[in-house]
Amino acid sequence: MTYTPPICFTTRPTLQGTFGMTASTHWLATASAQAVLERGGNAFDAVVAGAFVLHVVEPHLNGPGGDMTGIFVTAAEPSKPVVLMGQGPAPAAATREHYLAEGLELVPGAGALAAAVPAAVDAWLILLRDHGTWELGDVLAFAIDYARNGHPILGRVAATIATVANLFTDHWPTSAALWMPEGTPPREGDIIWNEAYALVLDSLVSAATDGATRTERINAARLEWRTGLVAQAAADFVQTPHRHSSGLDHAGVMTIEDFAGFEAGYEAATTFQFRGYTIAKTGPWGQGPALLQTLAILAGFTDEFLDPSTAIGAHTILEAQKLAIADREAYYGDVEVPMDYLLSPEYAAERRTLIEETASLEFRPGTVPGFTPFTPPLRVAYTSPALAAGSGFAGVGEPTVSRSGETRGDTCHIDVVDSVGNMISATPSGGWLQSSPTIPKLGFCLGSRLQMTWLEDGAPSTLRPGKRPRTTLTPTLILKDGKPVVALGSPGGDQQDQWQLLYILRTVIGGYTPQQAIDAPSLHTTSIPGSFFPRTWEPGGAVVEDRLGDDVLVDLEKRGHIITRAGDWALGRLSCVAKNHKTGVISAAANPRGAQGYAAGR
């Protein structure tokens, strides 16, 4: 059997050039980052400029009160992938005992008790300091302009605001004041402003004038962020109880000391060799290594079993993902994780034998010597008298939010490559406008990443002060022969790596071009415990795009998969940049679904 060939038609071309390429989930971020390249900035100047624009134009998917992870290489060290760690920890007072005393069984999906220490801004600033070339004011000018002078609101942002309008009106008046100043949700295309956030960025730029060197100036801005207006306003605001997705009112626990005590940083990437390529991900404090474990399992199959467009390929991929993600739940967190064992050929072979001709409906983590696997609560539904606001989700595209504000998870993504060989994939998230009430002095809210921790004791991701929640943010860098060839990523919560896996298989094995791989029909498993409140799972569940075809979908159902048809163009939010080191050609591609993501370059 031959690998399914790509269709001739693509929704957009794979862009090609030699100067520089950018791809992101919003055209204004892409254009801003590309403008930096055109004016002489490098990939790191460009990605930081684009990231701050994403805070402004995709506020329903990320914000300055949230987090980010990135993975990059520099032109000076092209064989060394580095993780940009922008995931903040739980505040010092965020103990499971306190949350249980508040009457909670789960960390809420919305409200200040769900907030980790904001980390995205500090991460972007250290990247700019260490690897960029521009001054902070020049980099932030794009975001300041859109925040102060306005931009047309996306339909998806307006729909998200409409979904939580009653929550804003009844319980979060500061959010209503910012996002519904006329008393009603905005409409697609309306011009919106955020002067409070523009002033926050102004304060960083002002602080960055103090210093004899560029490093000192950017460090001054970092200090202002961690100890100045933002830290004080956030700490003061969360002291007032407000509605959480528990249906109850709680005060937050964030303090100025939590802000001041955190600094973003760099870490070595976790890597795996697959078909001659090096796939680089974050450490197991994120979900990234689960993609590597999936590849390790799949590496033992022939090409016939690695084609997502066939029934046997889709089945094998779904089953391998279930096994890897079960290990994610059992072992991953900001703790000691036996990654060498989990990625070993022997362990992968053992796990591979569990894939049978029919779909498994079980939660099946593996056994690791010296470690006790954690089994999370396996709920197919979550109901509680405390959920007075209701637990039904109202679909607004991406992300899906409920009327009580929680989200099943989504985010943004941006990739940049420049002419000299700097390349970065970055996934900013958290601090969605529906995460918690807007802090009036700041024009944004805190994030909700702590919902990915458990209140059960003994889990690798149990809520612990000072520990990072196990994030779903999972950008990818791919290298060949010691050089970066692809920076790739996607929004999508638990689906991020599942969708990226399909891209890797189709390009590495099937020979697809970047845009062909992004356009191709997608699928993912829901037979896993969700990372987002209310943390349910659907045993045997698989969500698929109808374009896979009736024959494939009927075959999957016969194999025992419980299929949800998502429509023809519903799954996957991938973007990427790439470089061919033999020809010098760089390329980019972006997702057409949602009519929002774009690539640009020359």
Side-chain angles (χ1 to χ4, degrees), residues 169-496:
T169 301
D170 296 342
H171 298 289
W172 295 0
T174 56
S175 295
L178 176 61
W179 301 112
M180 304 191 303
E182 304 299 324
T184 58
R187 295 173 297 180
E188 181 177 3
D190 286 352
I191 301 298
I192 63 169
W193 300 265
N194 192 339
E195 178 62 21
Y197 185 45
L199 291 172
V200 169
L201 296 180
D202 286 342
S203 72
L204 299 183
V205 173
S206 295
T209 62
D210 184 17
T213 66
R214 182 175 168 278
T215 294
E216 290 174 351
R217 292 189 288 274
I218 294 176
N219 278 338
R222 294 178 60 223
L223 184 64
E224 167 62 28
W225 171 264
R226 290 164 42 226
T227 63
L229 167 67
V230 172
Q232 185 67 60
D236 290 345
F237 183 78
V238 301
Q239 293 178 21
T240 301
H242 55 272
R243 183 56 48 92
H244 284 54
S245 60
S246 61
L248 303 173
D249 290 349
H250 310 275
V253 295
M254 192 85 66
T255 67
I256 295 175
E257 290 74 22
D258 292 318
F259 273 85
F262 172 77
E263 294 188 52
Y266 305 111
E267 297 183 0
T270 304
T271 61
F272 182 76
Q273 304 295 317
F274 179 77
R275 298 291 183 92
Y277 291 83
T278 300
I279 316 299
K281 304 293 287 184
T282 71
W285 50 267
Q287 70 169 332
L291 171 62
L292 306 183
Q293 283 194 246
T294 308
L295 288 171
I297 294 169
L298 294 176
F301 289 98
T302 61
D303 291 358
E304 175 186 358
F305 293 87
L306 303 181
D307 184 349
S309 297
T310 65
I312 186 60
H315 168 73
T316 304
I317 290 164
L318 289 168
E319 294 303 293
Q321 288 173 331
K322 292 179 195 177
L323 293 170
I325 296 173
D327 281 347
R328 181 193 76 175
E329 295 301 314
Y331 298 110
Y332 287 19
D334 193 8
V335 295
E336 180 187 359
V337 180
M339 280 316 309
D340 288 345
Y341 187 88
L342 292 171
L343 289 174
S344 68
E346 296 77 15
Y347 182 72
E350 175 187 320
R351 301 291 276 160
R352 194 177 302 124
T353 63
L354 297 177
I355 298 178
E356 300 178 339
E357 293 185 1
T358 57
S360 170
L361 306 185
E362 300 177 5
F363 176 77
R364 299 186 294 176
T367 300
V368 178
F371 289 80
T372 301
F374 171 70
T375 299
L378 298 173
R379 303 182 180 98
V380 295
Y382 180 73
T383 57
S384 168
L387 290 175
S391 59
F393 282 78
V396 297
E398 176 180 58
T400 297
V401 296
S402 80
R403 297 186 186 279
S404 57
E406 71 262 19
T407 174
R408 285 185 174 174
D410 225 89
T411 178
C412 311
H413 189 76
I414 185 168
D415 309 290
V416 184
V417 59
D418 62 27
S419 60
V420 299
N422 299 305
M423 183 182 288
I424 182 167
S425 170
T427 309
S429 186
W432 306 293
L433 64 85
Q434 65 275 19
S435 291
S436 63
T438 297
I439 302 166
K441 291 182 180 180
L442 305 182
F444 61 84
C445 61
L446 296 175
S448 56
R449 190 65 60 184
L450 293 187
Q451 68 183 290
M452 297 182 178
T453 62
W454 294 101
L455 295 182
E456 284 77 10
D457 199 12
S461 54
T462 293
L463 177 66
R464 298 179 182 88
K467 292 291 187 178
R468 293 169 292 185
R470 191 206 68 218
T471 182
T472 53
L473 305 181
T474 178
T476 300
L477 199 70
I478 303 176
L479 300 91
K480 188 173 178 60
D481 300 326
K483 296 178 180 179
V485 293
V486 176
L488 170 70
S490 174
D494 288 312
Q495 289 76 54
Q496 289 180 28

Side-chain angles (χ1 to χ4, degrees), residues 15-42:
L15 304 184
Q16 292 184 308
T18 57
F19 174 75
M21 292 281 170
T22 303
S24 84
T25 48
H26 195 293
W27 62 84
L28 290 180
T30 295
S32 299
Q34 190 66 23
V36 173
L37 295 180
E38 296 289 349
R39 290 166 53 188
N42 69 13

Side-chain angles (χ1 to χ4, degrees), residues 485-567:
V485 293
V486 176
L488 170 70
S490 174
D494 288 312
Q495 289 76 54
Q496 289 180 28
D497 272 337
Q498 297 195 58
W499 296 336
Q500 292 181 71
L501 172 67
L502 307 183
Y503 177 100
I504 293 169
L505 295 176
R506 283 172 167 146
T507 55
V508 170
I509 300 173
Y512 286 41
T513 67
Q515 194 65 50
Q516 288 171 339
I518 288 173
D519 284 357
S522 194
L523 74 159
H524 63 263
T525 181
T526 53
S527 188
I528 56 175
S531 293
F532 292 86
F533 182 93
R535 311 211 69 177
T536 56
W537 79 316
E538 300 172 354
V543 184
V544 301
E545 287 187 326
D546 292 49
R547 289 183 296 130
L548 279 173
D550 286 342
D551 290 347
V552 172
L553 301 187
V554 169
D555 191 316
L556 289 174
E557 288 179 326
K558 289 180 179 178
R559 293 173 184 271
H561 298 278
I562 301 171
I563 298 296
T564 297
R565 296 189 180 215

